[in-house]
């Protein structure tokens, strides 16, 4: 039988500590809430009452329940007040020496059978535990912010943590309505180990002026369905906190360069640009602590006149290809009012594309998203062809053929001869260098990448990829076309992976390495990222959907171009692909889908 915790102590009443107090008090547990001074205690009390008052205002908590919750909290100054509690959770700033001092004092104050827990998100629980005479009763209980809302708790055991202590804490998490994942003491645990490498990479992208802050954030929200873009998330976490976590992970985690904090982060921390809490970080906020972003000197001007300025008129569009992506792009342009010339390798393929477009449009009618008249008008704008010569008078060509450089280069050489001057030539490649395709023509200034996401009619993002030869006019025209399609166009340079894949796939590869090392299970890793970070899918769910072969190919391209050791494909990923376990399409990947 798991022990019954009737009273707990929480040390440190910042945002996280106050949230942990609320979690316990909501669930009928008496809490001794401790701070270092009366002023700090009052700030903690204000944070807790503010949170509970907002819950009442939103109808998520009855007034009587709020009053009962607050009555369970005993606010005290000093650790001596914790002498009778069954469990203490420390939630002070992420400094090892500070935590060790607190745990040494807790060891003196608390009753012998009390469990001592740390909410650290990156420091070694083992190093904290050895400051006590009871390391077997020390454990990590890592809540996620905001603690009353987020479902995940990482339970971190050291090599000496008692099995009974682990079991007791796991039972407590269930009582609190949380989902726990139990793991060993390793830098970053699950969520932060996967999250912060990605965040650091995004800051590096911004620091090198590869893309704007708005485009990086929009790309990851719209392309991956993430709740926040990486730079906005850094501002929410706090750049000082992010720096400490990255620096700790770098020192504790084998000195992986991808966890070495990007220099810009330290510079911003030194300058006091800490994110939301200081009123300015990567973005500028209405006031310190406010979530409201206000325009600053870096905010782009996004007006219709600005989009139209310096652009070419596009009325007729050619789409080359007959696959899923080509079919979706044809539909997108036709629905947006463009005249479309679809070019495939024969009448039979054209017929299949026609049927696919018609079927998709019919689904839109059935779902009430499209009228029958609009469907008929869209189909009427499409001209079907099996010869490239019919692209002689189009204003824009979008290539969506197989991802083989030789095939694309041959196609662009042909388009160069056939198309009129001034045509924008676009490739939908997701991994090949756009410049290689552009240099197959005599007009590289007119060549740009337009990377639509699948399914094109639904996904709102398009990556506009400009090479060092792409003209400003071509880029502006591509962005204006995206806007006319109702899509968000994000501009980036011609580098492997562009924005989305360059940030997404190293994170997925890191998850595979974590599984490969037997640190955790695929289910727990997926739970951690969905419940702890709000991701719509866990990394292994996503890998099985994308296809392990596709994921491996993209990861290899990233590694070959960037030569970052941490980007080398995980051997487990390579082995699964070799074995033919490619994900949902073959019935088995990281999971067996034939049994579902």
């Amino acid at each position: 039988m798991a022990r019954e915790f009737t009273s707990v102590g929480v040390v440190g009443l910042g945002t996280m500590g106050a949230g942990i107090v609320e979690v316990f008090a909501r669930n009928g547990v008496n809490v001794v809430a401790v701070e270092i001074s009366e002023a700090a205690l009052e700030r903690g009390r204000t944070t807790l009452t503010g949170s509970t008052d907002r819950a009442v205002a939103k109808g998520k908590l009855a007034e009587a329940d709020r009053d009962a919750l607050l009555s369970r909290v005993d606010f005290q100054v000093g650790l001596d007040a914790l002498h009778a509690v069954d469990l203490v959770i420390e939630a002070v700033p992420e400094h090892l020496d500070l935590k060790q001092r607190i745990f040494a004092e807790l060891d003196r104050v608390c009753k012998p059978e009390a469990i001592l827990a740390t909410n650290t998100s990156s420091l070694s629980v083992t190093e904290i535990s050895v400051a006590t005479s009871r390391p077997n009763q020390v454990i990590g209980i890592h809540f996620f912010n905001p603690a009353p809302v987020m479902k995940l708790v990482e339970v971190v055991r050291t090599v000496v943590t008692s099995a009974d202590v682990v079991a007791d804490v796991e039972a407590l998490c269930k009582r609190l309505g949380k989902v726990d994942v139990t793991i060993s003491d390793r830098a970053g645990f699950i969520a932060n180990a996967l999250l912060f490498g990605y965040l650091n990479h995004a800051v590096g992208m911004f620091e090198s002026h590869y893309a704007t802050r708005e485009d990086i954030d929009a790309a990851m929200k719209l392309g991956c369905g993430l709740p926040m873009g990486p730079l906005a998330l850094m501002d929410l976490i706090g750049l000082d906190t992010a720096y400490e976590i990255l620096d700790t992970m770098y020192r504790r985690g084998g000195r992986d360069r991808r966890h070495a904090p990007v220099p810009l982060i330290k510079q911003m921390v030194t300058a006091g640009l800490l994110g939301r809490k200081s009123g300015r970080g990567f973005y500028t906020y209405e006031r310190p602590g406010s979530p409201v972003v206000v325009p600053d000197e870096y905010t782009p001007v996004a007006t219709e006149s600005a989009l139209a300025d310096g652009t070419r008129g596009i009325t007729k569009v050619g789409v080359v290809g007959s696959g899923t992506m080509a079919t979706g792009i044809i539909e997108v342009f036709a629905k947006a009012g463009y005249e479309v010339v679809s070019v495939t390798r024969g009448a039979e393929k054209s017929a299949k594309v026609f049927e696919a477009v018609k079927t998709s449009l019919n689904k839109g009618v059935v779902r009430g998203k499209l009228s029958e008249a609009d469907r008929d008008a869209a189909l009427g704008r499409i001209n079907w062809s099996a010869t490239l010569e019919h692209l002689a008078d189009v204003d824009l060509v979008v290539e969506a053929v197989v991802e083989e450089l030789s095939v694309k280069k041959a196609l662009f050489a042909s388009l160069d001869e056939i198309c009129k001057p001034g045509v924008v030539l676009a490739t939908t490649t997701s991994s090949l260098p756009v410049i290689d395709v552009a240099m197959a023509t005599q007009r590289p200034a007119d060549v740009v990448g337009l990377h639509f996401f699948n399914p094109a009619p639904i996904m709102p993002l398009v990556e506009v990829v400009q090479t060092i030869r792409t003209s400003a006019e071509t880029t502006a025209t591509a962005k204006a076309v995206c806007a006319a399609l109702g899509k968000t166009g994000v501009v980036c340079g011609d580098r492997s992976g562009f924005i989305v894949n360059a940030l997404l796939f190293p994170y997925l590869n890191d998850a595979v390495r974590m599984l490969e090392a037997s640190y955790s299970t695929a289910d727990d890793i997926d739970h951690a990222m969905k419940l702890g970070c709000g991701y719509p899918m866990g990394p292994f769910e996503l890998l099985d959907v994308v296809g392990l072969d596709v994921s491996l190919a993209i990861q290899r391209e990233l590694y070959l171009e960037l030569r970052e050791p941490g980007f080398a494909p995980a051997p487990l990923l390579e082995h699964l692909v070799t074995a033919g376990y490619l994900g949902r399409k073959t019935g088995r990947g990281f999971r067996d889908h034939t049994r579902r």
Side-chain angles (χ1 to χ4, degrees):
M1 289 286 292
R3 83 166 81 177
E4 184 71 20
F5 294 95
T6 57
S7 64
V8 302
V10 177
V11 180
L13 302 180
T15 304
M16 181 56 75
I20 294 170
V21 169
E22 182 177 340
V23 168
F24 280 104
R26 267 181 185 256
N27 287 277
V29 181
N30 292 322
V31 185
V32 180
V34 172
E35 259 295 357
I36 195 170
S37 67
E38 287 290 350
L41 197 69
E42 190 55 37
R43 286 194 296 271
R45 192 196 309 268
T46 301
T47 300
L48 177 61
T49 54
S51 176
T52 53
D53 286 348
R54 285 192 297 274
V56 170
K58 292 175 181 176
K60 295 182 177 180
L61 190 67
E63 288 190 24
D65 290 337
R66 175 200 57 195
D67 296 342
L69 183 162
L70 294 174
S71 72
R72 296 187 192 104
V73 184
D74 179 17
F75 290 94
Q76 295 286 340
V77 173
L79 298 178
D80 286 339
L82 301 171
H83 62 89
V85 299
D86 303 313
L87 165 72
V88 179
I89 298 182
E90 161 276 309
V92 304
E94 289 284 272
H95 300 296
L96 181 61
D97 56 346
L98 172 61
K99 291 180 188 283
Q100 287 177 326
R101 287 199 304 273
I102 287 173
F103 270 72
E105 187 64 11
L106 289 173
D107 187 36
R108 181 188 67 78
V109 167
C110 295
K111 59 188 181 183
E113 65 271 24
I115 293 174
L116 307 182
T118 173
N119 185 59
T120 183
S121 60
S122 60
L123 296 173
S124 168
V125 179
T126 306
E127 290 186 45
I128 294 169
S129 74
V130 295
T132 76
S133 63
R134 55 176 107 177
N136 61 317
Q137 289 170 236
V138 176
I139 194 167
I141 305 180
H142 178 216
F143 288 83
F144 286 74
N145 194 27
V149 175
M150 300 300 280
K151 285 288 188 183
L152 182 73
V153 175
E154 290 178 321
V155 176
V156 186
R157 60 172 181 256
T158 73
V159 290
V160 296
T161 304
S162 163
D164 287 344
V165 168
V166 174
D168 290 343
V169 169
E170 288 173 337
L172 177 63
C173 290
K174 288 181 175 62
R175 176 183 169 187
L176 299 175
K178 302 295 186 183
V179 175
D180 67 276
V181 293
T182 300
I183 46 181
S184 57
D185 184 20
R186 180 175 127 172
F189 312 138
I190 296 176
N192 282 355
L194 296 179
L195 176 66
F196 276 86
Y198 150 73
L199 295 178
N200 201 38
H201 190 182
V203 176
M205 215 176 245
F206 174 71
E207 182 186 52
S208 66
H209 303 288
Y210 178 68
T212 67
R213 62 189 181 181
E214 288 83 2
D215 281 356
I216 292 170
D217 279 355
M220 299 313 291
K221 286 173 64 181
L222 301 178
C224 297
L226 302 186
M228 294 183 77
L231 302 180
L233 180 55
M234 287 284 282
D235 276 358
L236 175 62
I237 293 168
L239 272 70
D240 50 345
T241 301
Y243 179 84
E244 291 294 337
I245 291 172
L246 281 165
D247 188 53
T248 300
M249 286 173 55
Y250 174 71
R251 287 184 284 104
R252 286 188 61 211
R255 300 192 177 268
D256 185 334
R257 287 191 317 208
R258 290 170 312 125
H259 291 145
V262 169
L264 178 62
I265 301 174
K266 183 64 178 292
Q267 293 163 17
M268 293 176 73
V269 170
T270 303
L273 307 178
L274 308 182
R276 283 192 191 182
K277 59 187 171 187
S278 68
R280 182 150 188 179
F282 290 103
Y283 295 91
T284 299
Y285 298 88
E286 197 172 46
R287 62 182 180 278
S290 170
V292 180
V293 175
V294 296
D296 57 23
E297 63 269 34
Y298 303 110
T299 303
V301 178
T303 64
E304 290 298 321
S305 59
L307 282 172
D309 187 37
T311 63
R312 304 174 195 174
I314 306 291
T315 57
K316 191 172 184 180
V317 178
V319 180
V320 183
S322 57
T324 303
M325 186 55 74
T327 302
I329 292 170
I330 290 166
E331 179 184 337
V332 167
F333 276 102
K335 283 198 297 190
Y338 290 92
E339 184 180 352
V340 181
V341 179
S342 167
V343 179
T344 67
R345 287 183 294 171
E348 186 178 339
K349 287 192 177 293
S350 287
K352 285 184 178 179
V353 175
F354 169 75
E355 286 301 325
V357 172
K358 185 178 177 182
T359 299
S360 181
L361 291 171
N362 282 337
K363 286 180 181 176
V365 173
V366 170
R367 292 170 182 163
K369 296 183 177 180
L370 198 67
S371 70
E372 291 188 10
D374 288 340
R375 173 200 62 195
D376 295 341
L379 286 170
R381 295 186 192 104
I382 307 170
N383 303 293
W384 306 96
S385 173
T387 174
L388 291 174
E389 279 68 22
H390 288 148
L391 300 175
D393 64 340
V394 301
D395 307 308
L396 163 68
V397 178
V398 180
E399 161 276 310
V401 300
V402 67
E403 281 284 273
E404 291 183 17
L405 187 57
S406 60
V407 175
K408 292 183 187 287
K409 288 174 72 173
L411 172 59
F412 271 73
S414 298
L415 293 173
D416 190 30
E417 295 178 3
I418 293 166
C419 295
K420 65 186 182 183
V423 171
V424 174
L425 303 178
T427 172
T428 61
T429 183
S430 61
S431 58
L432 298 173
V434 178
I435 189 64
D436 284 3
V437 177
M439 295 310 292
T441 75
Q442 299 300 310
R443 50 174 109 180
D446 297 331
V447 178
V448 69
L450 279 180
H451 179 216
F452 288 80
F453 286 72
N454 193 30
I458 296 173
M459 295 296 283
L461 182 71
V462 180
E463 289 176 318
V464 178
V465 186
Q466 55 186 2
T467 76
I468 56 174
R469 295 290 297 270
T470 304
S471 71
E473 183 185 23
T474 298
T475 301
T477 301
K479 276 212 73 171
V481 166
C482 292
L485 295 175
K487 307 288 188 186
T488 297
V490 297
V491 179
C492 60
D494 182 24
R495 199 169 77 185
S496 185
F498 312 139
I499 297 174
V500 173
N501 285 353
L503 292 178
L504 174 65
F505 281 88
Y507 147 74
L508 296 176
N509 196 52
D510 285 345
V512 179
R513 289 186 182 281
M514 188 176 278
L515 178 66
E516 187 177 59
S518 300
Y519 179 64
S520 189
T521 66
D523 286 346
D524 278 357
I525 294 170
D526 278 355
H527 281 317
M529 299 314 293
K530 288 195 294 184
L531 301 178
C533 299
Y535 282 25
M537 299 179 79
F540 298 106
E541 287 179 278
L542 183 55
L543 281 160
D544 276 1
V545 169
V546 170
L548 274 61
D549 52 341
V550 174
S551 303
L552 177 59
I554 292 171
Q555 193 61 39
R556 281 174 173 164
E557 288 290 335
L558 289 170
Y559 177 58
L560 286 171
E561 178 164 325
L562 301 176
R563 304 289 174 167
E564 170 59 61
F567 285 0
L572 176 59
L573 182 61
E574 294 185 315
H575 295 167
L576 288 168
V577 171
T578 302
Y581 295 163
L582 308 183
R584 286 187 177 273
K585 59 189 172 187
T586 60
R588 184 164 178 179
F590 284 98
R591 293 184 174 89
D592 186 347
H593 300 281
T594 61
R595 298 179 183 176
R596 296 178 178 232

